[in-house]
Amino acid sequence: MASWNSEHLEALYYVLGWAAFASWSISFYPQVILNFRRKSVVGLNFDFVVMNLTKHSSYLIYNASLFFSSAVRRQYHEKFGFDEMIPVAANNVAFSTHAVLLTAFVLFQIAIYDARMRGNQKISRISIGIVSVAWLFAAVCVSIAVPKRSWLWLVSFCFNNIQVGMTIIKYIPQAFLNFRRKSTIGFSIGNILLDFLGGVNNYCQMVVQSVDQHSWVNFYGNIGKTMISLVSIFFDILFIIQHYILYRPKKNCNLSDPDVIIEEALLQTPDHNTQSHNV
């Protein structure tokens, strides 16, 4: 089992890890609070939430397997060397568990708010199809891995690829919705700012471990974690540009005002759009 060469870098590693955990964990609450205050989910793309739940569920399976399973850890060392550290820390497991619970709660909020407070938003068939394919892919991988006891292959190839794939595509529906509405009202920028901070801390944590170990296996041995950090940072920057530059909210616009919420919902209904075009 590998050990740290520098106590200072080890301390920095854990500080960065728990800072990322805190930022990412807190990042779920601005959207939950915004939905609760407005009693509306208008402006929040449902496809984003559904794919986010799949992403975090697969991420939890991956992290928990590498952190708790002695069989997976043994196979990791056999593949990358017994002097290499496992690239999953306790904060990764804690975050992914918390993420699954909070994302599921947002789906609950989507379900309880009435149709007027959802506009014409719904989960698309494309999103349902993508999620179904992802879990079908997981089922096929399990059927292949179990007879061979290829546990590392299962979590690294299957669930790692699912989480990376979902991370790459899950932001697209929300970015497109913002573009179509020319507004970010209903989508919490607090979530994005904290997610960006968490992504930077997570990436820096990986750099610190690599510097201490004089090895970059940490990156290509956990390519999923590397890709998730980079993709998340890219889309966070895009959302920040949309919110603060491209589609800045009007001054004196109360995002919790029921009239604003209803107006936003009406703007998304097919009948209203048809009438607008006719005018």
Side-chain angles (χ1 to χ4, degrees), residues 4-197:
W4 285 89
N5 298 311
S6 168
E7 293 182 358
H8 297 293
L9 290 178
E10 180 182 11
L12 180 59
Y13 173 86
Y14 287 111
V15 169
L16 290 170
W18 285 106
F21 165 73
S23 298
W24 275 338
S25 297
I26 297 172
S27 73
F28 288 92
Y29 291 94
Q31 186 68 58
V32 170
I33 294 171
L34 182 62
N35 294 343
F36 175 77
R37 288 178 58 197
R38 301 169 77 229
K39 298 297 186 293
S40 168
V41 287
V42 171
L44 175 63
N45 189 277
F46 299 170
D47 292 349
F48 168 77
V49 180
V50 169
M51 288 190 282
N52 206 23
L53 180 61
T54 299
K55 178 260 181 181
H56 286 304
S57 298
S58 58
Y59 189 42
L60 173 59
I61 294 171
Y62 174 82
N63 285 332
S65 298
L66 264 176
F67 191 77
F68 293 111
S69 173
S70 58
V72 175
R73 293 165 69 92
R74 184 183 69 254
Q75 290 179 11
Y76 181 90
H77 286 307
E78 289 173 351
K79 180 176 181 178
F80 295 106
F82 287 89
D83 57 340
E84 295 293 341
M85 300 180 68
I86 296 296
V88 171
N91 62 276
N92 299 124
V93 180
F95 163 74
S96 51
T97 302
H98 180 266
V100 168
L101 295 176
L102 265 291
T103 306
F105 185 77
V106 173
L107 276 177
F108 172 73
Q109 287 184 313
I110 290 172
I112 64 174
Y113 293 129
D114 63 50
R116 187 179 65 160
M117 293 308 175
R118 291 198 297 265
N120 69 334
Q121 295 175 193
K122 60 182 180 180
I123 301 172
S124 71
R125 292 181 180 179
I126 294 176
S127 174
I128 295 174
I130 291 173
V131 170
S132 299
V133 169
W135 289 113
L136 178 61
F137 172 71
V140 171
C141 289
V142 169
S143 67
I144 295 173
V146 169
K148 299 180 179 180
R149 297 179 181 270
S150 303
W151 311 124
L152 178 64
W153 174 85
L154 177 61
V155 297
S156 297
F157 177 76
C158 177
F159 293 106
N160 217 358
N161 282 333
I162 290 176
Q163 60 163 319
V164 171
M166 287 296 167
T167 300
I168 292 173
I169 64 178
K170 73 173 185 176
Y171 294 104
I172 296 175
Q174 184 65 58
F176 181 75
L177 179 64
N178 295 345
F179 167 77
R180 184 169 60 83
R181 297 169 68 234
K182 298 297 185 290
S183 170
T184 58
I185 293 176
F187 182 58
S188 175
I189 192 61
N191 169 24
I192 297 305
L193 295 175
L194 287 165
D195 186 63
F196 177 76
L197 179 60

